[in-house]
């Protein structure tokens, strides 16, 4: 009977409720359904709501339940107004919305709010030394947010930061990986490697020629040559290097080279593999290759094939540079 005239601060109560209409001001009748509470398994009917004024703090939207013998004040409903509620061994303190926690290290346990109640998940027990600390389980959105904020840090390390209180502002919660970070999934993907052949598919010289043109060089030769054309036979790895003043000379040099080398070796050039540069892909070269029946294969930018051509070209640069300084008038062979 003494509790009928007292208000109980209840963290397990979802809404303010009273069974005494005399405490309510601004009362209005509503059809709020039914509410269940201890001591009365049938519960009670919500027939109205009003305000209980206490001076500095007013309790608004207090439900009137005639069958209720207590006056219950919901902690979650007070927090909805941005107030903080503090319990200690002697009293309960309702703090203003301006209250800020000075030191996060003083927080020993954080319990999340769910369904207007604050409940501890006893399954999430994290041992620390000889003590047992309880951490609230972070929601999926919180885990994703802090995972991105910390530079996509793995979740095991994130929980170590929480236990050691090593990051200011990091919530004291247990973070779990739900495997939904697209950036991490793509970052761990591996590109399939191109396996090298154990046997060469080319059986004759001049069957396949690799060629590339590089320039402008930083230093001109004595004959003002600034470009270098490298041609490599796929079967023998024999390499020819030609020095050019301009790119326009490429088509003429290649035509003369192919005709001459075919007569010298008594084999036909069947395939030319190069990039999509205009020095290889033009009307003059198109007509010449069509007349000779030469198939051309153009590599795509940044592919293993083109990278392989570049590697073979780079291996000849040092020797080509030496010959370029000598400014030989005839094509140099290696």
């Amino acid at each position: 009977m003494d509790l009928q005239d007292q208000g109980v601060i209840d963290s397990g109560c979802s809404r303010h409720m009273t069974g005494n209409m005399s405490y309510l001001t601004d009362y209005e009748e509503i059809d709020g359904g039914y509410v269940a509470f201890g001591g009365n398994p049938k519960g009670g009917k919500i027939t109205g709501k009003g305000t209980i004024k206490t001076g500095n703090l007013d309790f608004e939207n207090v439900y009137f339940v005639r069958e209720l013998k207590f006056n219950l004040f919901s902690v979650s409903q007070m927090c909805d107004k941005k107030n903080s509620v503090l319990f200690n061994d002697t009293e309960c303190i309702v703090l203003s919305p301006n209250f800020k926690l000075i030191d996060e290290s003083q927080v020993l346990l954080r319990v999340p709010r769910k369904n207007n109640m604050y409940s501890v998940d006893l399954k999430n027990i994290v041992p620390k030394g000889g003590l047992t600390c309880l951490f609230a389980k972070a929601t999926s959105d919180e885990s994703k947010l802090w995972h991105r904020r910390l530079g996509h840090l793995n979740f095991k390390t994130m929980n170590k930061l929480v236990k050691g209180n090593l990051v200011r502002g990091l919530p004291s919660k247990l973070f779990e990986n739900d495997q939904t970070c697209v950036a991490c999934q793509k970052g761990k993907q591996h590109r399939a490697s191109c396996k090298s052949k154990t046997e060469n598919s080319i059986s004759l010289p001049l069957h396949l020629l690799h060629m590339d043109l590089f320039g402008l060089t930083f230093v001109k030769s004595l004959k003002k040559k600034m470009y270098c054309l490298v041609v490599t036979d796929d079967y023998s790895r024999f390499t020819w290097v030609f020095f050019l003043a301009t790119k326009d000379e490429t088509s003429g040099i290649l035509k003369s080279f192919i005709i001459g080398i075919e007569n010298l070796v008594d084999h036909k050039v069947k395939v030319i593999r190069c990039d999509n540069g205009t020095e290889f892909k033009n009307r003059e070269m198109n007509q010449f290759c069509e007349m000779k029946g030469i198939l051309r294969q153009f590599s795509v930018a940044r592919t293993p094939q083109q990278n392989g051509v570049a590697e073979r070209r780079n291996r000849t640069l040092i020797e080509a540079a030496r010959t370029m300084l000598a400014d030989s008038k005839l094509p140099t062979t290696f």
Side-chain angles (χ1 to χ4, degrees), residues 61 110-111 145 157:
N61 296 321
R110 289 184 182 272
V111 179
L145 176 63
T157 306

Side-chain angles (χ1 to χ4, degrees), residues 206 209 231 240 242 252-262:
L206 301 185
L209 295 181
V231 181
W240 298 265
F242 304 91
I253 290 177
L254 283 178
K255 290 167 61 177
S256 300
F257 165 73
I258 292 175
I259 294 174
I261 200 65
E262 286 181 345

